[in-house]
Amino acid sequence: MLRPWVGVHSSSSSTTTNPCCFITTFPSSSSSSSSSSSSSSSSASQIRVSMAAASSIRIGIVGDVEFQLIIFSTEFSRKHDDWDLQEDTKALQFLQPDKECGDFGNENVELVKSVSELKLPKAVILGNHDCWTTQQFSQKKKDRVQLQLECLGEEHVGYRRLDFPNLKLSVVGGRPFSHGGNRIFREKLLSSRYGVQDMNGSAKKICKASVGTPEGHSIVLLAHNGPTGLGSEKNDICGRDWVHQGGDHGDPDLEQAISNMKETTKFPIPLVVFGHMHKELASRNGRLRKMIVVGADNTIYLNGAIVPRVKKLFHEQQTGTGSSSTEGAPVSLALEPSGTVRGFTLVEINDGKLDKIAETWVSIIGDEIKIEEELILFQSGMRASSL
């Protein structure tokens, strides 16, 4: 399923901050973000969503690299390791976002290390495929889950908060390794590392991470899977599309945490970003999932799980000695790879207002980079589906 990653870009006159969580920022002239653990600070109709932020921010999201990497890469297969440091760096630098998020593959340490080396501000949360075979931490040697967490360091925001002072923005992470639904996935991992043993404890841990959010900040929640309460049809944003009767496959602890945070804190939560639930439904009959929902209080719930997110480009290459201009001479053509088209979800915030959300496809052919397609999911002033 998806792991989210978000990237953010600020075009205000002040220096940009470097978000973590696979929320990524472009370019980053200074690293002024700070993170926090759950207990301390360290590093609808006509909708207008306020954010107390820099004058212009762009958030780039890559989902399910199984990933929950809301990053930017996709093949024509339903694979989760769609990430290439060189190609995706080119695309991200072209898009100029400020953040990212993600599911990186079946405990793919090499891919996670590559993401960690991306020289952009980012925030990441690991998903269920990132602990696909490891059920508990090894006592004898570092297992692949431990190695992934070490690669990401404070940029992994599971049950943590990462502050971006120049953007007036804080990213709060949900439960890592989520599989969706009413059951805690990988209980032993969560218990030993985070002290979490049930949904109620998980919801409290998420809320605790928001304590200490700087004055004047808005909160963006980053999770691997979305919350319950967003619909139970197969094509709903967290709907079970693999069973006939459908159902709500959201995380109940995330719904509880969001509700509690809205009741007990004064900070706005304009955006909840996640992945895991792929855009293309399991039936593969062309039906697609709803990828955005606007809550009654104008909180936007955004699914970044575009899978596959990387498409290969080919060109015809003449082979053999024949010439098309020579009568009777055989002409042989072969398809040769020429580049890729990579999918991202971009969120744009202008003058503190959530202005636009778009599914954006970027082609990379050598050093030629351009936007091939843009699907508008939300735009200020437009009518959007709401709860």
Side-chain angles (χ1 to χ4, degrees), residues 39-112:
S39 59
S40 65
S41 174
S42 74
S43 199
S45 53
Q46 307 241 315
I47 299 159
R48 296 194 67 183
V49 182
S50 295
M51 292 189 74
S55 62
S56 179
I57 300 172
R58 178 175 292 171
I59 297 175
I61 300 168
V62 179
D64 247 46
V65 186
E66 172 282 271
F67 328 158
Q68 234 27 340
L69 170 68
I70 303 180
I71 259 183
F72 319 103
S73 128
T74 316
E75 297 264 318
F76 277 132
S77 61
R78 292 175 68 89
K79 62 185 290 187
H80 288 100
D81 300 328
D82 287 340
W83 174 259
D84 180 279
L85 180 61
Q86 184 176 3
E87 293 278 281
D88 281 301
T89 297
K90 287 181 180 179
L92 287 169
Q93 289 175 336
F94 174 75
L95 292 170
Q96 293 288 300
D98 301 304
K99 303 182 189 176
E100 315 163 48
C101 53
D103 219 337
F104 293 98
N106 292 340
E107 301 191 15
N108 191 333
V109 177
E110 291 72 24
L111 186 151
V112 172

Side-chain angles (χ1 to χ4, degrees), residues 57 89 139 148 160 169 216 255 286 291 298 330 364:
I57 300 172
T89 297
Q139 300 300 315
Q148 290 176 94
R160 294 177 62 87
L169 189 69
E255 180 186 18
M291 301 299 279
N298 285 346
I364 301 100

Side-chain angles (χ1 to χ4, degrees), residues 250-265:
D251 288 353
D253 54 335
L254 184 59
E255 180 186 18
Q256 181 183 341
I258 293 171
S259 176
N260 291 346
M261 288 168 64
K262 288 180 177 180
E263 290 177 1
T264 60
T265 74

